[in-house]
Structures are given as C-alpha cells and as structure tokens.
Amino acid sequence: MSRVYLLGAGFSQAAGAPLLRDAMKKGVLACKDYANLGEVKIWLEKLFAPQHGVDSLNFEEVLSRLDLELHYNKYEEEEKKQLELVKEEVVSLFLNALEQCSKQKLPEEYYIFARRLQPEDVVINLNYDLVLENALLATKRFYPDYKLLFSGQTVPGLISFPVLKPHGSLNLYYCPHCLRVCQLKTQDYSGIINKYRILGGCGHFLRPLIITPTLYKSYGLEEMRQIWFNCLTALIQAQKIIFIGYSLPKADVLVAQMLDFAQRLNKNNLEVEVVNGISPDLRAIASLYQGRIINSGKSFREWVKGV
Ligand SMILES: [Zn+2]
C-alpha cells in the first residue's frame, strides 16, 4: 500500500521547531544578541505593523509582503537595498533559530515514525526544519532524498526515501544566476549568521530556498517545478494520504489546488486520515475528500504510540 504523509507545522512542534505563526516572536525577534535586530524591527514596524507592533507579525506574511514590496513598489535604489537587507536578515534570523532546534535530540515518537516508513511511501513535508530528515538518518535504513535533479546527496548503504519539500528547506539553497537548487551539508551553512553570504560551487552567492505559499511562482526554478510535479504524482498514485499537523490553511492555495487535482485523478479507493489533535478543524480537508476522512482525534505522539 503506498502512503503519502503530508506534514505541516504541527508535525515538528514537539521537536521544538517554532510554529510559523510564532516564528517572528520566538524565532526572529528573540535573537537578542544580534546586532542589527533593532534596525530590522524598526523597518518591519514601519512597513507592516505601525499599530500592533512587530510581535503581531507572522513570518510567512512578512516574507511575502517584503517580496511584494520589493517587486511592486518604486523605491529609490538606496531604500531598495535597505529593504533587501531587511529581508536577508529576517530570513537569516529565522534559519538560525531553526538550526538551533535541528541540533536537539528528538522525542522518541519521531524515531518510531521514521522506522515505520516503507520504501514505497512518500513524505510531502511543508516544513523548513530537518526533524524528519534527522529521524530518517537515525534509522540507519533510509536517507532523505529530496529528488533534486542535479545536486542531491546520497548516503552509501542506505535506501533513498523521498522527502518532497515544495516550500524549501533549511539546508536547500539556490543560485539566482544558474537557477539551480543545491543541498548543502550542515557544515556549509550551520553557524553562518548571514545566510546570503554562502558561496556555491558555481562561484555565486547562494540564497536560502525558503518559499512562502504565495511566492512559489516567482522563483522560476525548474527543480521546484519538478518537486511539485513529484508531489502531484505521489498523490495521484496514493492509496492512503495521512495529514499530520496540517489543516490546509487558506494561504496554501497551491497545495489546495494540487490536492484537489490529484484526488480527481486518483483511481484508487483512497483513504484519508487526519492526525491533527483532539478536535481539529477539518473543514478544508473535508471539503476536498468528502466522506473519506478518518479523524484519528490524536496528537502525533499519541497516534505514533498507539495510545
Ligand atoms: Zn551560480
């Protein structure tokens, strides 16, 4: 039976990864020892939160809006440069915060989950962190395979396990000149405060591959199109889809569209299970898969441990 696991922020929560809605407050703005933080705060407040303050902002919203500002507004060259820097700093701060939690030892439910995966399964992971990847490697059976066309890393002796990350990842970068995505080794990015100062093998500075739901198209990367296509194919062939910590928020228009398209083409007797805690909001998922949803009513931990 081929299963597709669709992981959202709720999956990584128990591993200490900041939820996106808390990412500004707990990740970005909590880096008190960061010299430019004051300046970044002033910019963000001026642009997006003159009344409610920076604490009220959501990381993905900030990133989307910064990109839109840069794309549509007619700033003077100097001001545009400043805004680019603010974006770089926000993304770098966020990635540094994620990196910290990626170093922690994981609760055992993640290892149990990784050991239960079968080679024919596929994980679609909408998170940027490496919680699942670390758990997979710890099984000593699988290594996470991002299905990149040019620069994926293999681990000799272990089986490739597809981990599709359509929103990007902490360890994925792209070259804005060559338009290639590359998977970096931990030592290549870890501890580097400014994530926009990492040189790629091509000799250009790389950019973190952190794609907010509204911005996917603007990147125009062939490999990301391929990853989305792989997600679609897996969903069409799936016999069971298991949502973990993901309730299909309104902003994820592209994911919703992909799920809808796939379920219409799926010729299997598709089962859908939701692992989103005791009383999840099932409206968005239910409207896609009418009558086929099994609601576990459990958190990820309870579900894995079968309690
Ligand atoms: Zn390049």
Side-chain angles (χ1 to χ4, degrees):
M1 181 164 181
S2 75
R3 297 179 186 84
V4 173
Y5 295 89
L6 207 127
L7 312 182
F11 173 81
S12 302
Q13 203 178 3
L19 279 175
L20 282 174
R21 62 171 178 269
D22 298 331
M24 284 304 290
K25 211 162 32 182
K26 293 190 181 155
V28 177
L29 302 171
C31 304
K32 300 231 182 311
D33 48 353
Y34 184 64
N36 296 342
L37 187 62
E39 212 176 313
V40 171
K41 272 185 178 175
I42 291 169
W43 266 93
L44 294 179
E45 194 156 294
K46 188 173 87 177
L47 282 169
F48 308 129
Q51 276 147 19
H52 302 290
V54 275
D55 278 357
S56 67
L57 294 168
N58 161 310
F59 171 72
E60 286 192 319
E61 185 193 341
V62 165
L63 209 53
S64 299
R65 290 178 67 179
L66 275 171
D67 270 323
L68 291 171
E69 283 282 332
L70 283 162
H71 201 258
Y72 290 111
N73 279 1
K74 289 191 177 69
Y75 286 103
E76 298 292 330
E77 209 44 45
E78 200 45 42
E79 212 173 8
K80 198 168 176 174
K81 238 185 250 168
Q82 281 289 329
L83 213 54
E84 294 270 9
L85 283 177
V86 169
K87 183 191 162 188
E88 291 181 10
E89 280 166 356
V90 168
V91 173
S92 297
L93 284 165
F94 173 68
L95 290 178
N96 284 312
L98 267 191
E99 223 170 274
Q100 290 311 314
C101 74
S102 285
K103 285 181 195 156
Q104 290 165 12
K105 190 173 159 37
L106 298 171
E108 66 169 330
E109 57 263 32
Y110 293 102
Y111 301 114
I112 301 172
F113 174 67
R115 281 198 298 270
R116 238 180 246 167
L117 294 170
Q118 297 300 319
E120 65 274 17
D121 296 340
V122 174
V123 166
I124 298 176
N125 190 348
L126 301 171
N127 301 320
Y128 309 116
D129 62 67
L130 303 179
V131 169
L132 176 76
E133 287 89 324
N134 291 341
L136 271 176
L137 287 168
T139 63
K140 301 210 165 25
R141 180 181 178 209
F142 293 123
Y143 72 87
D145 184 350
Y146 295 132
K147 299 289 173 191
L148 299 175
L149 298 174
F150 307 108
S151 73
Q153 285 166 18
T154 58
V155 179
L158 302 190
I159 308 167
S160 139
F161 183 88
V163 178
L164 307 173
K165 297 186 102 170
H167 289 171
S169 183
L170 172 61
N171 56 346
L172 292 179
Y173 281 71
Y174 72 98
C175 173
H177 302 284
C178 310
L179 296 176
R180 290 272 171 95
V181 176
C182 32
Q183 180 181 352
L184 297 189
K185 295 196 171 87
T186 316
Q187 64 266 29
D188 295 333
Y189 64 87
S190 180
I192 295 174
I193 300 296
N194 186 340
K195 305 297 188 200
Y196 290 74
R197 305 305 294 170
I198 296 172
L199 265 183
C202 57
H204 300 122
F205 282 113
L206 302 176
R207 290 185 188 165
L209 188 69
I210 296 293
I211 304 176
T212 56
T214 48
L215 288 173
Y216 151 69
K217 276 188 181 295
S218 65
Y219 286 76
L221 297 166
E222 183 193 350
E223 282 172 289
M224 291 316 289
R225 282 198 293 275
Q226 187 62 43
I227 287 174
W228 279 86
F229 184 72
N230 288 342
C231 292
L232 181 68
T233 309
L235 289 164
I236 292 172
Q237 291 167 354
Q239 287 162 302
K240 183 165 183 175
I241 302 174
I242 301 135
F243 288 82
I244 304 178
Y246 185 67
S247 56
L248 192 53
K250 277 204 176 74
D252 286 4
V253 181
L254 285 167
V255 176
Q257 198 183 349
M258 177 172 69
L259 291 172
D260 186 36
F261 190 46
Q263 67 89 17
R264 281 185 275 137
L265 294 178
N266 188 311
K267 298 279 180 271
N268 301 320
N269 190 14
L270 183 67
E271 281 176 46
V272 179
E273 186 172 4
V274 179
V275 184
N276 276 355
I278 188 158
S279 53
D281 180 353
L282 289 173
R283 283 171 297 180
I285 296 173
S287 74
L288 272 179
Y289 304 100
Q290 284 159 10
R292 274 177 294 176
I293 296 182
I294 306 159
N295 175 20
S296 74
K298 291 177 179 177
S299 68
F300 171 62
R301 178 180 296 152
E302 293 163 341
W303 178 76
V304 166
K305 293 187 172 176
V307 293

